[in-house]
Amino acid sequence: MEIKPGLHRIECPIGERYVAIYAVVGSESTLLVDTGFDDSIRTTVVNYFKSNKLSLDKVRYVINTHSDYDHTGGNKAVRELMPNALICAGERDRAMIENLNSMFYDRYNEFEKDHGFPESEAAKDFMMSVAFETNVDIGFSGNERIDLGGRYVEILHTPGHSWGHLSVLDEQTKAIIIGDAVLGNSVLLANGDAAFPPTYRFVEAYRSTIRLLKGYQPSEILTSHYPRYQGQAAIDFLDLSLNYTDLIESICLEVITAAKKPIGMMELIELTHERMGPWVDPAYKYLAYPVLGHLEVLESYKKIKSSKSDSGLIQYQLVK
Ligand SMILES: [Zn+2]
């Protein structure tokens, strides 16, 4: 739907969830934020453009907010269907966006070697069936300003969920399209129920991102997997997200303090997931993203230290 003049939110189904793709329409060119799955572009976006009399030829900039395949899977379809489009992404996410294999092994399977939590081959097969890669034309680092024909957008570097994560500020409406830059206390299903944990990974960057977005005093925050958060609801969503990071960090430290011996990350998650959110097996295991992030923070501040267990996994204990 056109939520503000020339600002469109297009919800594309991805299983039980949706990914919202956004279009910002200027007099000269159109900017698209995220590409969903292959089918999101080929079916949902193409149909939406048709019924709203928008031109695929005018799409000049296609921003991937970050290196997740539900945000980049339609890149190849963009290449085929939008002949004037330049595909743009955060430079630090470029390698994974251009190579789904690297996205899988470096991002989704990051926890196998040191923490004993592998991502399944079935998950990889699924990714390869819905997402298709192509090269990224322009790598952004943040603070770029794009003229769409009398309408400007600003690119913001908003790391935390990934290192290269980008958000897009629409100057005309003061809305900020944030992708997955901020994730509340749960990622949601389409019906609003909790799907899986907020998978932020780089904690201090994530906290800075939340504060940065708050500083812009956005008219609204437009996410990929949540309803619109307008006015005070946007501030509340940002505050809730920041408070959640403090909660998870304090639970991690508390459990390591109470443990009689060094404890592994997945063991810690088994002990604490009911206090961190409502998810059931196997969704709660994706607490690996934020929990590892918090363990790294606690270790960098020398509150805890890590060592290798006999089985070769990393374990954590208090610094006394
Ligand atoms: Zn996402």
XYZ file of all heavy atoms in Angstrom, residues 192-237:
376
model
N 1.559 -11.888 13.804
C 1.984 -11.089 14.952
C 2.564 -11.909 16.097
O 3.116 -11.351 17.053
N 2.446 -13.251 16.034
C 3.030 -14.095 17.082
C 4.559 -14.113 16.955
O 5.120 -13.827 15.896
C 2.508 -15.540 16.957
C 1.053 -15.660 17.384
O 0.511 -14.665 17.922
O 0.466 -16.736 17.154
N 5.215 -14.507 18.048
C 6.677 -14.584 18.055
C 7.145 -15.720 17.155
O 6.660 -16.848 17.253
C 7.169 -14.818 19.480
N 8.088 -15.437 16.261
C 8.623 -16.473 15.370
C 9.939 -17.025 15.917
O 10.061 -18.220 16.169
C 8.840 -15.921 13.959
N 10.919 -16.152 16.096
C 12.213 -16.573 16.631
C 12.918 -15.357 17.244
O 12.468 -14.224 17.064
C 13.063 -17.279 15.560
C 13.284 -16.498 14.296
C 14.254 -15.521 14.210
C 12.494 -16.753 13.162
C 14.455 -14.806 13.029
C 12.689 -16.041 11.987
C 13.671 -15.061 11.925
N 14.013 -15.603 17.969
C 14.653 -14.505 18.716
C 15.163 -13.384 17.808
O 15.412 -13.599 16.619
C 15.836 -15.201 19.406
C 15.487 -16.644 19.444
C 14.670 -16.906 18.218
N 15.321 -12.182 18.377
C 15.916 -11.081 17.620
C 17.376 -11.412 17.347
O 18.189 -11.478 18.261
C 15.784 -9.879 18.552
C 15.613 -10.443 19.920
C 14.988 -11.791 19.757
N 17.722 -11.625 16.083
C 19.040 -12.151 15.729
C 20.049 -11.026 15.466
O 20.726 -11.028 14.439
C 18.924 -13.069 14.495
O 18.106 -12.396 13.528
C 18.286 -14.392 14.844
N 20.125 -10.095 16.400
C 21.243 -9.149 16.326
C 22.500 -9.906 16.744
O 22.445 -10.874 17.488
C 20.994 -7.907 17.189
C 20.796 -8.158 18.672
C 21.884 -8.204 19.537
C 19.533 -8.359 19.205
C 21.713 -8.438 20.892
C 19.349 -8.596 20.567
C 20.442 -8.633 21.409
O 20.279 -8.879 22.749
N 23.656 -9.452 16.246
C 24.875 -10.246 16.441
C 26.019 -9.421 17.032
O 26.796 -9.928 17.816
C 25.268 -10.861 15.080
C 26.558 -11.647 15.037
C 26.510 -12.914 15.854
N 27.809 -13.548 15.873
C 28.819 -13.175 16.640
N 28.683 -12.157 17.483
N 29.972 -13.811 16.582
N 26.122 -8.151 16.622
C 27.235 -7.300 17.068
C 26.652 -6.257 18.013
O 26.091 -5.241 17.596
C 27.947 -6.689 15.857
C 28.336 -7.755 14.850
C 27.630 -7.907 13.668
C 29.365 -8.642 15.138
C 27.957 -8.903 12.767
C 29.696 -9.652 14.238
C 28.993 -9.783 13.048
N 26.766 -6.549 19.319
C 25.897 -5.921 20.310
C 26.140 -4.425 20.469
O 25.189 -3.640 20.445
C 26.055 -6.639 21.668
C 25.295 -5.895 22.755
C 25.531 -8.076 21.548
N 27.393 -4.015 20.635
C 27.601 -2.576 20.885
C 27.268 -1.753 19.641
O 26.750 -0.644 19.736
C 29.021 -2.299 21.375
C 29.333 -2.900 22.756
C 28.476 -2.345 23.906
O 27.328 -1.923 23.693
O 28.970 -2.360 25.044
N 27.534 -2.309 18.458
C 27.131 -1.627 17.223
C 25.607 -1.520 17.147
O 25.056 -0.490 16.748
C 27.676 -2.377 16.010
N 24.942 -2.597 17.558
C 23.470 -2.632 17.546
C 22.907 -1.569 18.491
O 21.977 -0.834 18.135
C 23.039 -4.030 17.970
C 21.564 -4.323 17.980
C 20.836 -4.448 16.801
C 20.888 -4.540 19.184
C 19.492 -4.772 16.819
C 19.542 -4.867 19.211
C 18.848 -4.978 18.024
O 17.511 -5.313 18.043
N 23.500 -1.467 19.666
C 23.032 -0.450 20.620
C 23.246 0.957 20.051
O 22.374 1.831 20.188
C 23.789 -0.604 21.944
C 23.340 -1.822 22.746
C 24.282 -2.099 23.911
N 23.695 -3.031 24.873
C 24.413 -3.825 25.662
N 25.742 -3.809 25.610
N 23.803 -4.636 26.511
N 24.383 1.179 19.402
C 24.645 2.498 18.795
C 23.637 2.792 17.693
O 23.175 3.927 17.551
C 26.051 2.544 18.188
O 27.006 2.382 19.183
N 23.316 1.765 16.911
C 22.331 1.929 15.836
C 20.980 2.363 16.394
O 20.325 3.266 15.858
C 22.197 0.610 15.051
O 23.337 0.481 14.185
C 20.927 0.571 14.214
N 20.563 1.735 17.485
C 19.260 2.084 18.075
C 19.268 3.549 18.514
O 18.325 4.307 18.247
C 18.939 1.143 19.254
C 18.778 -0.302 18.744
C 17.684 1.611 19.980
C 18.668 -1.346 19.835
N 20.371 3.956 19.142
C 20.460 5.352 19.614
C 20.533 6.328 18.432
O 19.933 7.404 18.468
C 21.673 5.523 20.526
C 21.525 4.736 21.815
C 22.577 5.140 22.850
N 22.308 4.490 24.115
C 22.950 3.398 24.547
N 23.903 2.857 23.818
N 22.627 2.842 25.704
N 21.260 5.929 17.383
C 21.347 6.773 16.189
C 19.956 7.011 15.599
O 19.569 8.146 15.285
C 22.241 6.102 15.141
C 22.315 6.790 13.778
C 23.361 7.903 13.790
C 22.635 5.811 12.658
N 19.190 5.927 15.442
C 17.859 6.037 14.834
C 16.953 6.908 15.700
O 16.183 7.720 15.188
C 17.254 4.647 14.640
C 17.964 3.787 13.576
C 17.444 2.358 13.609
C 17.777 4.380 12.182
N 17.072 6.746 17.017
C 16.264 7.559 17.922
C 16.604 9.036 17.750
O 15.726 9.900 17.757
C 16.559 7.104 19.355
C 15.349 7.106 20.262
C 15.694 6.545 21.620
C 14.831 7.194 22.671
N 15.138 6.714 24.027
N 17.886 9.318 17.532
C 18.335 10.705 17.380
C 17.758 11.400 16.162
O 17.636 12.617 16.137
N 17.392 10.638 15.145
C 16.786 11.236 13.945
C 15.345 11.683 14.171
O 14.757 12.338 13.323
C 16.834 10.257 12.770
C 18.149 10.292 12.010
C 19.164 9.402 12.307
C 18.369 11.233 11.003
C 20.368 9.431 11.619
C 19.568 11.275 10.309
C 20.561 10.374 10.621
O 21.750 10.416 9.946
N 14.749 11.282 15.293
C 13.334 11.571 15.563
C 12.468 11.245 14.348
O 11.774 12.110 13.792
C 13.161 13.029 15.970
C 13.935 13.355 17.241
C 13.725 14.780 17.696
O 14.207 15.730 17.084
N 12.973 14.933 18.758
N 12.507 9.994 13.898
C 11.779 9.609 12.687
C 10.266 9.758 12.864
O 9.748 9.575 13.970
C 12.154 8.134 12.504
C 12.560 7.664 13.871
C 13.172 8.839 14.554
N 9.587 10.091 11.768
C 8.121 10.124 11.823
C 7.583 8.712 11.979
O 6.541 8.496 12.581
C 7.552 10.738 10.544
O 7.834 9.906 9.424
N 8.314 7.767 11.386
C 8.008 6.364 11.628
C 9.193 5.482 11.286
O 10.093 5.887 10.553
C 6.743 5.903 10.898
C 6.798 5.862 9.402
C 5.461 5.319 8.848
O 5.172 4.130 9.051
O 4.727 6.109 8.223
N 9.162 4.294 11.854
C 10.188 3.281 11.600
C 9.519 2.194 10.762
O 8.504 1.634 11.165
C 10.662 2.675 12.955
C 11.478 3.684 13.769
C 11.444 1.392 12.741
C 12.867 3.923 13.250
N 10.101 1.951 9.597
C 9.530 0.946 8.693
C 10.475 -0.258 8.650
O 11.579 -0.164 8.113
C 9.340 1.551 7.301
C 8.296 2.672 7.262
C 8.386 3.442 5.946
C 6.896 2.108 7.450
N 10.040 -1.357 9.227
C 10.846 -2.566 9.330
C 10.453 -3.554 8.231
O 9.540 -3.298 7.452
C 10.594 -3.252 10.675
O 9.237 -3.719 10.672
C 10.793 -2.296 11.849
N 11.130 -4.697 8.238
C 10.818 -5.729 7.246
C 9.786 -6.742 7.738
O 9.076 -7.329 6.926
C 12.085 -6.496 6.876
O 13.062 -5.616 6.379
N 9.744 -6.973 9.028
C 8.927 -8.079 9.533
C 7.967 -7.671 10.654
O 7.458 -8.530 11.375
C 9.830 -9.207 10.049
C 10.903 -9.627 9.087
N 10.625 -10.232 7.878
C 12.259 -9.520 9.150
C 11.776 -10.491 7.256
N 12.774 -10.068 7.990
N 7.755 -6.382 10.813
C 6.877 -5.875 11.885
C 5.884 -4.896 11.264
O 6.125 -4.362 10.181
C 7.691 -5.141 12.965
C 8.808 -5.955 13.584
C 10.027 -6.113 12.920
C 8.660 -6.559 14.828
C 11.058 -6.854 13.479
C 9.683 -7.304 15.400
C 10.886 -7.454 14.716
O 11.906 -8.182 15.256
N 4.795 -4.631 11.991
C 3.855 -3.609 11.490
C 4.508 -2.224 11.504
O 5.618 -2.058 12.005
C 2.691 -3.682 12.493
C 3.230 -4.356 13.701
C 4.338 -5.246 13.246
N 3.829 -1.226 10.952
C 4.357 0.138 10.976
C 4.421 0.638 12.422
O 3.494 0.418 13.201
C 3.430 1.081 10.193
C 3.436 0.838 8.717
C 2.348 1.649 8.029
N 2.628 3.091 8.032
C 1.758 4.009 7.636
N 0.553 3.653 7.225
N 2.084 5.291 7.650
N 5.511 1.300 12.758
C 5.620 1.930 14.076
C 5.733 3.430 13.856
O 6.770 3.936 13.446
C 6.843 1.402 14.832
C 6.731 -0.055 15.226
C 7.689 -0.985 14.819
C 5.665 -0.511 16.002
C 7.590 -2.327 15.177
C 5.552 -1.850 16.362
C 6.521 -2.744 15.948
O 6.417 -4.063 16.305
N 4.621 4.137 14.134
C 4.564 5.567 13.846
C 4.689 6.386 15.121
O 4.167 5.996 16.180
C 3.234 5.908 13.163
C 3.062 5.191 11.832
C 1.672 5.399 11.248
O 0.794 4.569 11.418
N 1.500 6.516 10.558
N 5.339 7.540 15.019
C 5.414 8.485 16.143
C 5.977 7.831 17.388
O 7.051 7.214 17.353
N 5.236 7.939 18.477
C 5.726 7.413 19.756
C 5.940 5.909 19.699
O 6.836 5.377 20.353
C 4.727 7.774 20.881
C 5.225 7.444 22.287
C 6.557 8.118 22.626
O 6.795 9.271 22.254
N 7.454 7.405 23.302
N 5.152 5.203 18.893
C 5.322 3.742 18.787
C 6.705 3.393 18.238
O 7.278 2.353 18.595
C 4.233 3.146 17.903
N 7.249 4.263 17.384
C 8.599 4.027 16.859
C 9.626 4.142 17.976
O 10.526 3.297 18.099
C 8.912 5.028 15.742
N 9.484 5.181 18.797
C 10.410 5.368 19.931
C 10.280 4.200 20.898
O 11.275 3.667 21.403
C 10.117 6.716 20.647
C 10.262 7.884 19.659
C 11.030 6.903 21.852
C 11.594 7.985 18.971
N 9.049 3.769 21.159
C 8.831 2.650 22.084
C 9.486 1.371 21.561
O 10.077 0.606 22.334
C 7.323 2.409 22.288
C 6.655 3.544 23.052
O 7.386 4.367 23.653
O 5.411 3.614 23.042
N 9.397 1.141 20.260
C 10.008 -0.054 19.667
C 11.536 0.003 19.830
O 12.179 -1.001 20.157
C 9.631 -0.137 18.180
C 10.244 -1.304 17.441
C 9.850 -2.605 17.712
C 11.217 -1.094 16.468
C 10.403 -3.678 17.022
C 11.783 -2.162 15.775
C 11.374 -3.460 16.055
